[in-house]
Amino acid sequence: GNSDNYQAGLVSKPTANTSDYASFSTPSTPATISGGDQNGAPSNGSGNLNGDVLDPEDTESYEIGAKANLFGERLSLSGAVFQTTRKNAQVLIDVDRYAQAGEVEVRGLELGVSGNITSAWTVFGGYTYMDSELVKGAVTIVDGQPVPSLFGGDPLANTPEHSFSLFSTYRVLPRLTVGGGVYYVADRFGGNQGGAGGGAARVFAPEYTRIDLFGAYELTDRASLQLNIQNAGDEEYILRTNGVHHADPAPARQAILKLN
């Protein structure tokens, strides 16, 4: 199917170093055969929709934000609040009956920083808060009768409520720069093993904090060595969940030395 898409935005500059903006957009993506909260390939429908080309899934995105430049425009600060609603996912609505009625929603806040505090000190990072929800999912068939989704109100998989990152470097000598980063991700919903309101049946990937290290040395004006140590603390954590029974572990400590 086809879908019309729109985008509108408004930007103002209260001062020379600050700006405010608001935006609205309605992107569309190929429909999936999922319950609205998993990735999938474009497909024909299921059951009564078999043979029908599904309409695209429609998204409505709202965002209001502000930006400011400091220290002679060397450092940029940003903040925004947003809401994204995705509709039209195919879900089971009755016994052997499907419709494109699935809906998910994410509301949140983003804060960011990037640039130079001094000519030698750089910082990049931010904080994100996301409140996600499966607004309308597939019904569950119990004794031959449809029961409203047991998972309605659940958060979306792999969508942490809190995440934070900060990477910073400092040129300690004319040719030597050192730095590192810290990355925090709160626990993430992996799925619900069933049961009405089953708080105990919910599965989460635990929160984690990862630390990276960085070093660079200029051998000449045209060549430099760069060392990146990722997951320096050799933290064991789950990168992403794939339902209630499977998950992808994150890489262990890695050291990469490059000659540029």
Side-chain angles (χ1 to χ4, degrees), residues 11-225:
V11 179
S12 66
K13 289 184 67 66
T15 69
N17 296 323
T18 62
S19 62
D20 304 320
Y21 69 90
S23 67
F24 167 73
S25 63
T26 60
S28 298
T29 56
T32 69
I33 56 172
S34 71
D37 60 345
Q38 298 177 1
N39 293 325
S43 175
N44 290 342
S46 300
N48 56 292
L49 297 180
N50 188 27
D52 295 342
V53 176
L54 298 180
D55 291 330
E57 293 181 10
D58 297 321
T59 300
E60 292 183 355
S61 295
Y62 301 85
E63 183 171 335
I64 300 174
K67 299 180 180 180
N69 295 322
L70 306 177
F71 307 133
E73 298 193 354
R74 292 197 312 263
L75 186 71
S76 175
L77 303 179
S78 63
V81 292
F82 61 88
Q83 175 177 310
T84 299
T85 304
R86 182 158 58 95
K87 305 176 181 179
N88 236 27
Q90 179 188 251
V91 294
L92 185 69
I93 61 170
D94 204 336
V95 179
D96 297 327
R97 293 286 300 175
Y98 291 85
Q100 289 193 253
E103 180 178 337
V104 299
E105 183 177 85
V106 181
R107 298 178 177 181
L109 164 73
E110 289 182 318
L111 302 174
V113 58
S114 64
N116 288 69
I117 296 178
T118 70
S119 59
W121 184 11
T122 67
V123 293
F124 301 92
Y127 165 78
T128 302
Y129 167 78
M130 291 187 290
D131 178 19
S132 64
E133 179 184 358
L134 176 61
V135 178
K136 187 172 183 180
V139 302
T140 301
I141 306 302
V142 179
D143 296 330
Q145 298 297 319
V147 176
S149 174
L150 303 177
F151 312 123
D154 279 352
L156 305 184
N158 297 305
T159 309
E161 191 172 32
H162 305 281
S163 58
F164 169 83
S165 67
L166 182 64
F167 186 85
S168 181
T169 66
Y170 193 85
R171 186 179 296 273
V172 296
L173 295 172
R175 291 183 179 272
L176 177 64
T177 300
V178 298
V182 58
Y183 304 89
Y184 168 79
V185 177
D187 56 6
R188 290 139 293 146
F189 186 60
N192 194 324
Q193 296 188 89
R202 290 183 171 189
V203 176
F204 287 85
E207 64 180 0
Y208 70 87
T209 301
R210 189 188 88 226
I211 295 175
D212 293 352
L213 298 177
F214 168 86
Y217 185 80
E218 297 180 8
L219 300 172
T220 70
D221 293 339
R222 299 175 61 185
S224 65
L225 282 175

